[in-house]
Every structure is written in C-alpha cells, then in structure tokens.
Amino acid sequence: GINMAHFETQLSEEEIFQGKVIRVTRDTVQLENGHTSTREVVHHNGGAAVAALNDKGEIYLVRQYRYALGKELIEIPAGKLEKGENPFDAARRELAEEAGVSAGEYRDLGTVIPTCGYCNEIIWIYGAKNLKDVSQNLDPDEFLSVFTLPLDEAAEKVLSGEISDSKTAVAILKLKLLRDRGEF
C-alpha cells in the first residue's frame, strides 16, 4: 500500500568527483533483504525557479542553450542555490537577473525532483504576479532570450512537448490549474 516504508541503509561513501556544481559519490548500501548494492549519486545544492505572470496572463520564459543536451530549451527563470541559500531569496534574485522583473506577490508552488534515479537535486518553484520592471542583470557568461506567452499557450506547448524542461512543465501546469480554479 501507500504507507509501506521502503529503505536502503548507506554502508560507505566514496567520493569520485568534486566540481563547482556537482559532487559524485559511489555508495555501498544495504537493501531491505540484507543484500548489498552500489549507488552512484550526483549531489547538487538544488535550485529555485519562478513562474511569473504579468497582468495580461502571460508567463515569462527564457530560451537558453543547454550544453549537456546540445540544444536550446524553453524554461522559466531559475538558478542554482549556493550552499545553505534560502530558495525563495534565490528565486527572487533569478527573476530579476534573468527576466528583469520583480513581483509584488509570490506563491509557493512546491518542489520538483528532476532526476530521482541518481541525483539528489530538488528545485523549489514559486508563482509570482503583480510584476514590475527592474533591470535585467545576467551573469557575464549567461546568454538567454526573455519572452512572454499566454499561460494557456504555454500549457499547450507542455502538452505538445515543445516545452519539456521538468521544472518549467510542472510550474506551468500547476499555475494554470490554480488560475483556472481562481486561486492565483
């Protein structure tokens, strides 16, 4: 049933790689049946992302090249957390830096776990409205284009697969559901 508690117990951890963004370990774990197995884990500080709606019901999106995938993706403004950083503070910072807007009202949209099979990354998502323009302030090595789409059109692009980034898809669909219920 839904309340069964499955678990694995870490027996050892071996660091394989330590980089600027991720750390990789090879862990030995004990399974429920007493056997042991190996788990490769990518450790990441997590991220924060914002689905911001303007007063016309349009969502702010960014088009950005993602090297690991070798293509441009459409995403909501987002960024990685510094160690111990408050996700809400990071979300507000990224909205201003990437989209050039700040918001008068935020709503917690929960979290997304993008790759649970081997990575511990968690992304905190926020909805935002009552926007006002501030100056965009991209990092020196950050290249992206900002645009807006009606929320319903963005949701259709999630359904068609044109928007496939997980945090963005989840944020758009949650925001649309809340808006359609009159809750945002």
Side-chain angles (χ1 to χ4, degrees):
I2 198 166
N3 294 319
M4 283 181 63
H6 294 288
F7 63 93
E8 297 177 355
T9 306
Q10 184 189 70
L11 300 175
S12 67
E13 175 184 279
E14 177 196 1
E15 187 166 280
I16 305 298
F17 173 77
Q18 170 78 60
K20 282 185 181 158
V21 177
I22 60 164
R23 183 171 77 91
V24 180
T25 61
R26 185 184 297 120
D27 300 1
T28 302
V29 298
Q30 184 167 27
L31 307 175
E32 293 172 46
N33 63 4
H35 296 161
T36 60
S37 190
T38 302
R39 298 286 180 253
E40 293 170 356
V41 183
V42 175
H43 301 264
H44 187 284
N45 288 337
V50 188
L53 278 187
N54 65 20
D55 53 15
K56 292 185 283 198
E58 298 167 333
I59 188 169
Y60 277 77
L61 296 166
V62 298
R63 189 182 291 279
Q64 188 172 8
Y65 184 80
R66 291 302 195 175
Y67 177 81
L69 291 158
K71 63 180 180 180
E72 265 190 343
L73 292 182
I74 295 170
E75 304 175 47
I76 56 174
K80 58 183 179 291
L81 303 179
E82 302 305 322
K83 196 164 181 65
E85 184 178 18
N86 179 301
F88 181 55
D89 293 340
R92 287 188 303 187
R93 180 189 68 230
E94 293 298 332
L95 182 61
E97 283 184 5
E98 293 191 357
V101 294
S102 70
E105 189 180 337
Y106 285 90
R107 174 167 181 155
D108 186 344
L109 296 179
T111 58
V112 172
I113 298 169
T115 318
C116 63
Y118 58 85
C119 184
N120 71 353
E121 181 183 14
I122 296 171
I123 302 173
W124 281 260
I125 302 175
Y126 300 89
K129 60 184 185 179
N130 301 336
L131 307 181
K132 64 172 191 281
D133 289 335
V134 295
S135 60
Q136 187 189 39
N137 182 25
L138 297 177
D139 294 333
D141 57 353
E142 195 171 30
F143 303 93
L144 51 83
S145 313
V146 183
F147 64 103
T148 60
L149 272 185
L151 184 58
D152 289 342
E153 196 179 321
E156 289 301 327
K157 288 185 186 301
V158 173
L159 286 177
S160 74
E162 192 178 338
I163 294 177
S164 57
D165 172 63
S166 63
K167 68 183 176 298
T168 303
V170 169
I172 287 169
L173 297 178
K174 280 189 172 189
L175 209 55
K176 177 171 164 46
L177 196 56
L178 288 169
R179 195 206 52 193
D180 290 354
R181 287 181 182 172
E183 294 176 30
F184 191 81

